[in-house]
Amino acid sequence: MRKSLFAATALFVCAFTFAQTDTQTADELKAQLGPKKDSIAAIQGRLDAIQAEIDALPGWRKGMFGTIGANLAGSKNWYSQGTPNNSSGNIGVTLNGFANLKQEKYFWNNAANINLQWVKLDNKDIDTDDDSFNGTTDVFNITSLFGYNLSKKFAASALAEYRTSIINNFNDPGYLDFGVGVTWLPVQDMVVVIHPLNYNFVFSSEDSVFESSTGAKIVVDYTRQIGAVNFKTNFSTFQSYKSGDLSNWTWINSFGYTLWKGIGLGFEFGLRNNKQEALANALGLTPTPTPTPTFDNVDNPVQSYWLFGLNYSL
């Protein structure tokens, strides 16, 4: 009995000793981990400082990222839906590219945004229906901004911006803004354009609705890559001096997260408001609404689109 008690006591003491040793070892390792983390943070800080110096050097900066989304489906004798025999699909692609030249006394920023989407719904039981892909979202924007530096934060600038669609109704309507003013550079990768002297050229076959005019142009653009994340937000507005009916604004946001070798997940959404487009759309309805739509009575909701899919970056 005594031998058993002694053996049990010895076993407990050994277990407690080993446990205490393990605890001390873990505490010692944790104590060593803190300085290592501080060292990593210091190294990252030096790397960020070097990268900032590289970004400040004169020369070209170029980049591109976008999103591809696709959904193809079909059914046969699926009677629970209205079209039991059909083939359907949705395909979309976006592109955001830039080529910026930075010099000591001036800069030249160029950017493009393209978003194209097609859909189809082919009813196999109707031989005369449309079995092709038809364009839905259709965005084509290019901008070119030249600035002469007045200081580190401000520049005298000239901007040209062109917007239209390319799948359907190319340049009908099309918008070309050209103006001069100042550009503010509050932080790295952000550009704020303020041009009080701007002419908005409008190209359209509907001369009774669309009209060119003089006004103010404001653009806010922020394009940044942080690790595996690419994002871009661009807000552009034209405020007509002739009439608020001729004003418009567009806000496009793009996000991309790289998972492997330039491939990942992406999301883009856009908002837009343009009363001229709203009136042209209302007048094109069949039959024409009563009373006849005018700038005074037309409904002018915010337009929107979005796309989620695979992301690519170059």
Side-chain angles (χ1 to χ4, degrees), residues 62-79:
K62 303 174 183 178
M64 183 178 70
F65 72 98
T67 301
I68 299 175
N71 179 21
L72 302 176
S75 66
K76 184 176 182 180
N77 300 327
W78 195 262
Y79 298 117

Side-chain angles (χ1 to χ4, degrees), residues 19-311:
Q20 188 176 29
T21 302
D22 290 343
T23 301
Q24 292 174 344
T25 301
D27 291 340
E28 291 172 356
L29 291 175
K30 290 179 181 179
Q32 296 176 22
L33 188 60
K36 299 295 183 183
K37 289 183 177 179
D38 293 339
S39 299
I40 293 173
I43 293 172
Q44 186 62 52
R46 291 194 293 269
L47 291 175
D48 292 341
I50 294 173
Q51 185 62 51
E53 293 180 7
I54 294 174
D55 293 339
L57 294 174
W60 284 96
R61 277 98 174 145
K62 303 174 183 178
M64 183 178 70
F65 72 98
T67 301
I68 299 175
N71 179 21
L72 302 176
S75 66
K76 184 176 182 180
N77 300 327
W78 195 262
Y79 298 117
S80 62
Q81 64 176 357
T83 52
N85 301 291
N86 74 74
S87 174
S88 62
N90 185 316
I91 299 174
V93 58
T94 71
L95 179 148
N96 292 281
F98 67 91
N100 300 335
L101 175 63
K102 184 176 183 178
Q103 296 293 341
E104 181 180 355
K105 294 184 178 181
Y106 67 90
F107 60 86
W108 183 26
N109 295 350
N110 303 276
N113 172 259
I114 301 174
N115 186 310
L116 306 175
Q117 296 186 45
W118 298 264
V119 298
K120 83 164 186 176
L121 176 58
D122 177 21
N123 189 335
K124 300 296 185 180
D125 296 324
I126 302 176
D127 296 333
T128 58
D129 77 332
D130 188 359
D131 61 354
S132 61
F133 280 88
N134 297 300
T136 52
T137 303
D138 191 355
V139 177
F140 179 78
N141 295 344
I142 56 174
T143 61
S144 183
L145 173 69
F146 178 84
Y148 186 85
N149 295 324
L150 303 175
S151 66
K152 290 184 178 181
K153 297 294 185 180
F154 289 93
S157 56
L159 171 73
E161 179 186 79
Y162 178 66
R163 294 177 286 107
T164 187
S165 57
I166 56 179
I167 300 177
N168 299 308
N169 305 321
F170 175 74
N171 204 42
D172 189 15
Y175 305 89
L176 175 62
D177 281 289
F178 183 77
V180 293
V182 296
T183 293
W184 177 37
L185 309 169
V187 295
Q188 183 178 338
D189 302 315
M190 175 175 279
V191 177
V192 180
V193 179
I194 305 171
H195 285 179
L197 183 58
N198 183 93
Y199 196 80
N200 178 239
F201 296 90
V202 182
F203 310 100
S204 175
S205 58
E206 296 287 343
D207 294 336
S208 60
V209 175
F210 292 94
E211 182 179 352
S212 303
S213 65
T214 303
K217 185 73 174 181
I218 298 174
V219 178
V220 180
D221 185 275
Y222 187 56
T223 304
R224 187 77 187 272
Q225 178 178 356
I226 303 177
V229 179
N230 289 286
F231 64 91
K232 176 183 178 68
T233 181
N234 181 278
F235 177 82
S236 176
T237 180
F238 169 73
Q239 297 298 314
S240 175
Y241 294 148
K242 183 175 182 179
S243 171
D245 296 334
L246 306 181
S247 301
N248 62 76
W249 59 265
T250 302
W251 185 27
I252 298 176
N253 300 272
S254 305
F255 305 89
Y257 182 77
T258 302
L259 297 173
W260 178 75
K261 292 186 177 181
I263 304 298
L265 297 176
F267 177 69
E268 177 170 307
F269 72 91
L271 302 174
R272 178 169 171 77
N273 187 264
N274 189 313
K275 201 168 188 178
Q276 295 178 90
E277 292 177 350
L279 179 57
N281 179 74
L283 291 173
L285 296 176
T286 304
T288 302
T290 302
T292 302
T294 65
F295 279 120
D296 294 328
N297 62 22
V298 70
D299 186 22
N300 184 28
V302 173
Q303 307 169 39
S304 66
Y305 74 84
W306 64 273
L307 175 67
F308 177 79
L310 290 177
N311 174 260

